Amino acid sequence: MENQQQAPEWKPKGGRPPMKPAEKRLKTASMRLTEDERTALEQRAAAAGYKDLSEYMRVRLLSEDTAPVHNPKQLFRALDKTGGDLKRIGTNINQITRYVHYLEKNNMVEGRVLAQYNQHFREFLQVEKEYVKAIRAYLRTVR
């Protein structure tokens, strides 16, 4: 019996890892509201993208006074959705560029068509630049 090995500690697969004691929210704070105040608070939470009123109130109360209250989950969902679209647009632009270069090499395209292509490509780059700038500005406010 001396040579028996101890069984390793059982660890379930999957699921959320256990929280550290400092991360657990064990304390409560309650507040009394009128029906109108509660409705207004719920509307503000919904407008900011929160389904959980407690989460909205926690963010609102514990953030700096000047910091806007946003739910970054909405931004990340939108980015996931538009990321694929941007990739497809980029692929299309690359295919068009290769074809235009082929036509240009073989003198099969007019200068007017090249000018239009270049104008559209500059507009695309400007939109992409504004898109990235808006995302960065949003992420700076969410810290």
Side-chain angles (χ1 to χ4, degrees), residues 5 8 24-25 31 39 43 49 52-53 57-59 70-71 75 90 93-94 98 104 114 123 128 140:
Q5 293 180 342
K24 293 182 181 179
R25 293 190 173 106
M31 122 180 28
T39 303
Q43 288 173 350
D52 183 18
L53 188 59
M57 290 171 54
R58 191 171 26 261
V59 169
H70 298 289
N71 186 350
L75 172 66
I93 288 174
N94 286 338
R98 278 193 297 256
E104 187 179 25
L114 286 176
E123 289 172 8
E128 181 189 30
R140 277 193 296 273

Side-chain angles (χ1 to χ4, degrees), residues 11-131:
K11 295 182 180 178
K13 290 187 176 183
R16 187 178 191 279
M19 295 178 103
K20 297 174 186 169
E23 294 175 329
K24 293 182 181 179
R25 293 190 173 106
L26 301 173
K27 303 295 181 182
T28 61
S30 61
M31 122 180 28
R32 295 189 183 278
L33 302 170
T34 66
E35 191 64 38
D36 291 341
E37 290 170 334
R38 172 75 186 221
T39 303
L41 193 59
E42 288 171 345
Q43 288 173 350
R44 286 183 185 179
Y50 288 89
K51 293 179 183 174
D52 183 18
L53 188 59
S54 294
E55 185 179 352
Y56 172 77
M57 290 171 54
R58 191 171 26 261
V59 169
R60 185 75 182 179
L61 290 170
L62 299 177
S63 65
E64 294 179 21
D65 291 339
T66 58
V69 178
H70 298 289
N71 186 350
K73 290 177 186 176
Q74 288 179 327
L75 172 66
F76 294 128
R77 280 191 206 110
L79 289 176
D80 284 343
K81 184 178 177 185
T82 59
D85 293 340
L86 285 176
K87 183 177 180 188
R88 282 189 288 282
I89 290 169
T91 301
N92 290 344
I93 288 174
N94 286 338
Q95 291 172 350
I96 292 167
T97 302
R98 278 193 297 256
Y99 186 64
V100 167
H101 285 298
Y102 166 80
L103 293 176
E104 187 179 25
K105 270 186 176 177
N106 295 309
N107 295 323
M108 299 170 66
V109 66
E110 298 177 20
R112 173 182 61 85
V113 174
L114 286 176
Q116 284 179 337
Y117 168 78
N118 288 331
Q119 176 61 31
H120 289 301
F121 191 68
R122 279 192 295 275
E123 289 172 8
F124 169 77
L125 291 176
Q126 183 62 34
V127 169
E128 181 189 30
K129 183 179 176 181
E130 294 298 319
Y131 180 76

